[in-house]
Each structure stands twice: as structure tokens, then as C-alpha cells.
Amino acid sequence: MTEKIPMAGVSAAIANAARLLDEQPALAARQARELLKVVPGHPGVVLLLGMAANAERDFEHALAVLEPLVRVQPAMAKGWLELAVARLGLGQSKLAHDALRRAVALQPHLPCAWLTLAELLGAGGDANGANKAYLEHLRQSSHDPELMAAAAALERNAAAEADERLRKRLRHQPGDIAAMRMLAELRLRQVRNEDALHLLDLVLERAPGFDIARQNRAVVLNRLNRHAEALAEIDRLLDRAPGNHVLRNMKAVILGKLGDFEGAITAYEQVLTSEPGQADVWINYGNALKTAGRTADAVAAYRRCVEIRPAFGEAWWSLSNLKTVRFDQADVASMRGQLARSSLGDGARLHLEFALGKAMEDAGEYEMAFGHYARANTIRRRQVPYDAEKNARQHKEAQAAYTRDFFASRIGAGSQATDPIFVVGMPRSGSTLVEQILASHPFVEGTMELPAIIAIAQDLERRDGGSDCSYHGALASLNCDELAALGAHYLRRTQVQRKLDRPFFIDKMPNNFAHIGLIHLMFPNAKIVDVRRHPMACCFSNFKQHFARGQAFSYDLGDLGRFYVDYVALMSHYDEVLPGRVHRVIYEQLVDDTEGQVRALLDYCGLEFNARCLRFFENDRAVRTASSEQVRRPIYRDGLDQWHRFEPWLGPLKTALAPVLIRAPEHAGERWRGQRLPHETA
């Protein structure tokens, strides 16, 4: 009877039974036993029976099946691997080690054998041997069809399929560092940064020599604003690969985020010396030069970008974002030519639209300029969804949580440090100018838009069960010592940004206005400055500005207006429950009466007047924001009324801003001069 069964049929039956191993090992074993009645002693079927026994954790039975198998089939690498699994299950580590060595000697392209060997060596305390075995497992992973199928899904960006395949793999082989790293990459794409970091920590704990995972970890740490740790990882990698241009570029980016712009510039120059055709490096180099105040060099770097890659929309936009560059007819023609290409991606297209908007505005073609701005914002809105209702709900929850009684019951809580000066408000409100004025005082250090408060709020949100609206419940549960510890944590986290030995430093993250309650509880003695600008002028300036991240409300005129109204309402609430706590600077008043407003600001901060603060434009500190070039000039009035030129197309904005507009100026000569908005204190 056996002779009548084609071998192809036996192979198909074995393959069918093998597919049951993961989910139904008992059924796989039963089919194997039935097959052995037909093809007694068949090595493949006996191996299948042993694998099923291992899957069911019946290691005694597996041993009884597999030991005779490898005696008669000593060249069967998979037989030795399964024998090792059985021996490990029975606690026979030495014999398992010997079997694994036989398996990989017979078949080096057996990733699971290397993985099992790595785990065995690690459990035995041989970290170096385990690291080598893990790395060999990685090298052989291309021979693993399951891993390759997961990698292919990841390459296609088929997130659900990749997730299912990788989690299934890790259920059966929890130590598979190749699968863990791929799952970390997927979590990174899903912006689940903490999950990605946890997976990468597990990977590097097993295989510290896994350089790709270490590089991934640097990326995650950078995203989590843990820049000093990210830099340490990059430096560790560069020790092993000093000529790696990708790593050197990453180092330059991180140095910039740490405020070491000269170091970043040097690092970019090192890359460009050996790789001068890298447009992506040229733009980063230009950004660093711009921040350091080397405007002419920044322009040259951006120009080099578009020479190398004419469709590089971000480079064109970076030129326009300097605010001082004027495009000529050849520039405009080149940008329009690129926009005409049907193959141009959305990223390049939106940058070119923003840049052409600025070019047309400079040329006095306001309707055409608005069309470019509107198209750019439409593209960006598709990329960055925004929920105005959620934002309003968050602000209302804050107003409900932070009452006079709430704060009164916590008097004396938090850190008593006076170091931070928080400058908050809407983006494009004049906050960079206020920062530059304060940073010109010899007792105050300007840093940048620090992400520390937002990171602390996110940590509290996770404690509060991951609510998508608030962290207020977690904050309310903290005692005085815990609030003081939060303040100490903030100071430690921001220390890396402080380069000067000055008693005060500025945190100019405008969005921190949403966290005034948290800031007050952490630092009851710190200063908070709210910078405010005419609603129409401020919102339209946001509409014209492309933000790299964090300002998702700014790409729709209606959303912008609602966001501004919600901001005013929240700040009015804090004026009511914490009277006098926040000092308000009205941008238009600062322009009209600079010295008077500067004196009032310094007095609020407890600082003596210093004439340097009036000559802020002479301060050569690095400035990262879109206003970097503007604050290097004396105060000027040009920008106060620009929005009037676009008024015919700003109806949705004006409608949304109705609750805070005292009146709509009818012509460019009239300006909002800081009149109190509804519900504001004087």
C-alpha cells in the first residue's frame, strides 16, 4: 500500500500537518501518527511528531522520538534543533547546547537555531556569546519565510498584517530580536513611541551589538525629546562606524536640538565635505546656519539645495521662511514649473505653494498669494487632521478642574524655584520678540521652545488612564511633595538646554498656555508671560506659516478662529482664578511704546531695567523660530496691518473670531490697540 502513494502526496500531507503546529499541535501529532502507519519511519514525519510534542510541552515524549531520529539521521539539522528544544525543556542545558552546535554546524542558515542558542547562552551568563549568536540569528533571518513575510508587509505599509504576523511570531518565539525590532519600527510609524522604546530596550538587552536597533532607539529617544540620551547612542555607534554619514547627520540634528548649533554646523560641514551632493543635509545645514544668525550662509545652503534638486519644495519654502528673501522672476518660474509636474508629491507641493504665496505677497499680487496659501493649507490639512471640538473640550475641562478653591487648597505646593520664565500665547503673536527682549537681560538666558511641560503633561495623561482629553485627575491626586518632584524633574530635563550661568531662563513654548494650571502647581513662584496680538493679524500670520509639527489647528481659517477664541477664554479663566499671576504683553502696544512695555515686563519678572533689552536686535543668540530674522532687526511696524490686504478672503476667520473681535477694522490705517477682549481683566 505504501508503494502506491506518490511521494508528492506524502510531502503535501506533511506540509498540511506542519501548518497545524502553531495553533493545533495535538491535531498535527495525530496526523503525523496516521502518516507513520502509511510511511513507517519516514524522517520528515518523525520530525513532525517530535515538533508537535515540543509544541505541547511534552518534552519526555519529544526526547523519545527525536533521539532515535538523529541517530539514524545525523545530518538532519532540524532534528538536532528540535532535540535541543526538548532537552532545554527538561533542563538539560549542556546537552541542549551540544545539539544546537550540531544544528548550526550542519545548517548555518537556520535562524531559529541561532536564536535558541543565543537565549541558552544568555541564560547561562555568557553575554558575549549570546550577543554573537543573536547577531548571527539576524544575519540568517533572510532565510526565515515567516520573518520575510512580516518584513514585506512592513515594506508595503500593511500595518495590520505586519502587526498580526509579528505578534504571532513573538507569541511562539518571544526572544526573536528581529521580530521585536520590526515591531518597534511599526510602533514608531504608529507614533507609539514609548512602546517602540520598550521593545528596543528588550532587543538591546539581549543583543547590544545590534546596531540597527540602537540607531532606531536613538530615533525614538529623539522623538521623545530625550536628546542627550539619543546623542549618547549615536556617539556609541559612531565609535564603531566613524564614516557613517547617516549617523553623522543624525548627530548634527540632535546637537541642534540640544542648542549646540556651532557643533551642529561643524558636523554638517564634515558630512558635506565628503558627500556634497546630499540635498537633505544641505537643508539641515541651512537651518542650523539660520538659527545661528548666519543668514547669508543659510541662503547659500538653501540655494545649493534647489540646484541639486529643483523640486525640493522644503528648500524653496525655507528661503521664503527667512522673511527677508525676495524671489526674482526666475525663482517664481522655476517653482511654477515644478508645481506643474503631475508626479510632484504632496510634501513638495505644499512647500512650493507656501513659498509662492510669499513671493506673490511680496509682489503685491494678494489674491494670487491667498490662492497659493489656501492650496498649501488644504494639502496640509489632509496630512494633519485636527479636532476643534476636542480642543474646546480639553480647555473646558481645564476650566472646570482649576478653580480658586483648587489652587487655594494647594498653596505652598510645588517647587519653590524661580528659574523659569514661561512665555506663552498663540504662535506668531510676538512671543519670539518678547523672548529676545528678555534674553538680552544679563540675568536671563534664552533657550528655545522647550517640550518638557508637554512631555510631563503626557506622562500625567498616561497615569490618568490614557484619556484623550486631560490629565487633570492625575494632577489633582498629587501631594505637595509629588508636585515639587515634578518641578525638580522639569529642571533636570531642561538643564541640558541651559548653556549660560544665569539665574533665570526662558521656556518659550507658546502652546504651554494650555498648561498654566500645571505650571503654577509645579512652580508657584515662576513667571508666566502671555503675548497677545490682534486676532485677525495673529491668525492670518499662522495661516501663512507652515509649521513642522504641533500646530494642527493652523491649516483652516475656521479652526484658527475657534482656537484663538478658546485660547482667550482659557486665559481669561486663569486671570479670574489666579488674578495677577500672568503678565500680558500686547504686541501692538509693545510696538507703539517699546520702552514702557519693556519696563513693565521687567518689573513683573523682578528684574531691574537694562538698556540692552531695548537693543535686543544686537543679541547674537541662536533663535530657532520662524521669527528668527525679524528679531534681529529693530522693532518695525510693517507687519501690523498686512492682514488687511487679504481681508476679502478672510470671511470664515472673521466669523469664527466674532466672540473676541471688538470691531472689524475697515481699512489698513486702523489697528486693534490692545483693547480688552470680552471677559478679560483689565
Side-chain angles (χ1 to χ4, degrees):
M1 180 177 178
T2 303
E3 296 175 358
K4 295 180 182 179
I5 299 178
M7 289 309 296
V10 173
S11 298
I14 293 173
N16 182 62
R19 282 191 287 270
L20 300 170
L21 279 170
D22 286 342
E23 306 298 335
Q24 297 176 283
L27 181 56
R30 190 157 59 247
Q31 291 194 8
R33 286 192 290 271
E34 290 299 318
L35 274 170
L36 285 173
K37 293 177 183 177
V38 180
V39 283
H42 188 289
V45 181
V46 175
L47 175 62
L48 179 62
L49 189 61
M51 293 172 72
N54 275 333
E56 291 189 283
R57 304 187 64 78
D58 186 355
F59 301 118
E60 290 281 3
H61 183 212
L63 195 68
V65 170
L66 295 165
E67 280 188 333
L69 175 64
V70 296
R71 279 199 296 270
V72 296
Q73 296 287 337
M76 181 183 276
K78 289 186 178 179
W80 286 105
L81 170 58
E82 290 299 321
L83 178 60
V85 172
R87 286 174 171 173
L88 277 172
L90 294 169
Q92 300 172 5
S93 299
K94 176 64 171 65
L95 292 172
H97 178 272
D98 294 343
L100 287 167
R101 289 295 184 189
R102 290 287 295 272
V104 296
L106 288 165
Q107 190 174 335
H109 305 312
L110 200 59
C112 289
W114 287 110
L115 177 60
T116 308
L117 179 59
E119 293 175 333
L120 176 60
L121 292 169
D126 184 0
N128 186 53
N131 180 59
K132 290 179 179 178
Y134 275 123
L135 296 180
E136 193 59 41
H137 158 64
L138 292 169
R139 279 189 283 272
Q140 304 304 336
S141 291
S142 61
H143 299 283
D144 188 314
E146 290 181 8
L147 279 176
M148 289 303 97
L154 204 57
E155 179 71 21
R156 297 194 309 274
N157 206 26
E161 180 188 345
D163 186 85
E164 181 181 355
R165 287 182 178 279
L166 290 167
R167 287 191 297 110
K168 178 181 177 182
R169 175 65 171 232
L170 289 169
R171 280 197 301 271
H172 296 292
Q173 295 187 27
D176 190 333
I177 60 171
M180 273 190 272
R181 193 212 65 80
M182 282 194 280
L183 188 59
E185 182 180 334
L186 178 60
R187 295 293 176 258
L188 195 60
R189 294 183 190 181
Q190 296 168 328
V191 201
R192 293 170 57 179
N193 297 322
E194 294 286 355
D195 292 341
L197 183 62
H198 174 67
L199 285 162
L200 292 167
D201 285 345
L202 292 176
V203 169
L204 291 168
E205 181 183 324
R206 290 167 167 80
F210 191 177
D211 287 354
I212 294 175
R214 194 167 299 282
Q215 185 172 330
N216 293 156
R217 187 172 191 271
V219 171
V220 178
L221 289 168
N222 186 41
R223 287 197 183 179
L224 290 169
N225 299 308
R226 291 163 60 175
H227 306 307
E229 295 171 74
L231 183 61
E233 293 287 38
I234 295 297
D235 282 339
R236 184 170 176 175
L237 290 166
L238 281 170
D239 285 342
R240 292 202 288 272
N244 187 310
H245 301 313
V246 173
L247 293 174
R248 287 162 68 185
N249 188 53
M250 285 180 67
K251 179 172 182 174
V253 171
I254 294 168
L255 284 170
K257 291 185 177 181
L258 287 168
D260 183 1
F261 297 105
E262 291 305 322
I265 288 168
T266 299
Y268 286 129
E269 288 173 347
Q270 289 171 347
V271 175
L272 291 170
T273 297
S274 53
E275 294 285 336
Q278 298 292 317
D280 291 323
V281 181
W282 277 105
I283 195 164
N284 289 335
Y285 179 47
N287 293 339
L289 291 165
K290 169 195 169 186
T291 302
R294 293 169 54 181
T295 306
D297 292 335
V299 170
Y302 295 144
R303 289 287 184 189
R304 182 73 180 113
C305 285
V306 296
E307 287 174 15
I308 296 169
R309 194 190 305 169
F312 199 169
E314 187 177 350
W316 288 108
W317 173 79
S318 296
L319 282 165
S320 72
N321 197 41
L322 286 167
K323 312 301 183 189
T324 55
V325 170
R326 296 293 181 267
F327 291 119
D328 60 24
Q329 291 182 350
D331 292 329
V332 171
S334 179
M335 287 189 280
R336 284 176 171 164
Q338 295 303 323
L339 273 179
R341 292 172 48 206
S342 60
S343 60
L344 191 69
D346 278 353
R349 189 172 296 278
L350 77 89
H351 282 105
L352 284 164
E353 293 281 15
F354 273 119
L356 276 168
K358 174 65 164 54
M360 294 300 97
E361 183 176 357
D362 289 343
E365 300 286 349
Y366 301 120
E367 184 173 6
M368 193 177 296
F370 184 82
H372 285 296
Y373 288 139
R375 286 189 290 275
N377 279 281
T378 298
I379 296 170
R380 188 61 173 156
R381 163 58 74 243
R382 290 198 299 265
Q383 296 175 341
V384 187
Y386 171 70
D387 187 343
E389 292 297 332
K390 178 181 175 181
N391 180 72
R393 190 165 66 249
Q394 288 175 323
H395 287 195
K396 287 176 182 175
E397 288 185 356
Q399 293 174 52
Y402 303 123
T403 64
R404 283 180 180 263
D405 290 342
F406 179 90
F407 289 123
S409 67
R410 290 163 175 81
I411 290 176
S415 168
Q416 301 308 301
T418 59
D419 307 34
I421 299 173
F422 295 94
V423 177
V424 304
M426 287 283 294
R428 310 297 297 153
S429 64
S431 57
T432 302
L433 174 60
V434 170
E435 176 196 34
Q436 185 80 341
I437 289 168
L438 284 170
S440 298
H441 195 283
F443 288 172
V444 182
E445 178 178 6
T447 55
M448 59 181 66
E449 296 182 354
L450 302 177
I453 290 293
I454 293 172
I456 289 171
Q458 290 170 342
D459 289 343
L460 288 169
E461 185 178 300
R462 282 188 284 273
R463 288 195 215 177
D464 209 18
S467 164
D468 67 351
C469 288
S470 75
Y471 53 83
H472 311 308
L475 184 60
S477 70
L478 301 183
N479 61 35
C480 292
D481 290 341
E482 289 170 320
L483 290 170
L486 275 187
H489 172 66
Y490 169 88
L491 292 174
R492 286 193 303 273
R493 189 162 188 160
T494 55
Q495 184 60 46
V496 70
Q497 308 290 349
R498 301 181 66 177
K499 311 298 182 185
L500 305 175
D501 185 18
R502 295 184 179 180
F504 304 99
F505 72 98
I506 304 166
D507 181 340
K508 196 204 80 69
M509 175 62 78
N511 305 66
N512 280 345
F513 78 81
H515 307 293
I516 298 294
L518 170 62
I519 290 170
H520 175 71
L521 291 177
M522 288 169 55
F523 294 108
N525 300 317
K527 303 302 181 183
I528 306 171
V529 180
D530 173 33
V531 186
R532 193 165 300 183
R533 183 181 176 192
H534 186 290
M536 292 292 290
C538 182
C539 289
F540 183 59
S541 185
N542 274 272
F543 191 70
K544 296 192 300 179
Q545 182 67 42
H546 171 51
F547 298 95
R549 64 184 63 84
Q551 313 299 353
F553 63 87
S554 68
Y555 301 106
D556 176 88
L557 290 173
D559 286 343
L560 264 164
R562 287 192 62 182
F563 190 90
Y564 191 103
V565 169
D566 290 340
Y567 147 70
V568 168
L570 184 60
M571 295 308 296
S572 296
H573 172 77
Y574 284 118
D575 288 343
E576 181 182 339
V577 300
L578 291 171
R581 182 71 177 87
V582 177
H583 178 77
R584 186 152 296 114
V585 175
I586 303 299
Y587 176 73
E588 287 78 6
Q589 291 178 352
L590 183 61
V591 171
D592 286 343
D593 177 21
T594 304
E595 183 171 342
Q597 293 299 312
V598 169
R599 285 183 179 275
L601 172 63
L602 295 177
D603 184 62
Y604 164 78
C605 292
L607 297 166
E608 291 186 4
F609 176 76
N610 190 292
R612 295 182 194 175
C613 296
L614 297 179
R615 301 191 65 78
F616 59 87
F617 47 87
E618 296 176 350
N619 189 336
D620 62 358
R621 60 179 283 267
V623 181
R624 291 181 63 106
T625 71
S627 304
S628 60
E629 298 311 300
Q630 293 159 305
V631 299
R632 293 186 174 111
R633 294 188 286 161
I635 283 181
Y636 56 94
R637 300 175 178 276
D638 300 355
L640 292 177
D641 301 314
Q642 287 177 345
W643 69 271
H644 285 283
R645 300 163 184 166
F646 295 88
E647 194 166 0
W649 307 285
L650 299 182
L653 176 60
K654 191 176 291 185
T655 299
L657 284 171
V660 297
L661 283 174
I662 295 173
R663 62 191 175 89
E666 297 299 328
H667 58 275
E670 294 184 356
R671 290 201 307 275
W672 177 77
R673 293 182 176 272
Q675 300 99 320
R676 282 191 293 127
L677 299 179
H679 312 300
E680 281 196 302
T681 57

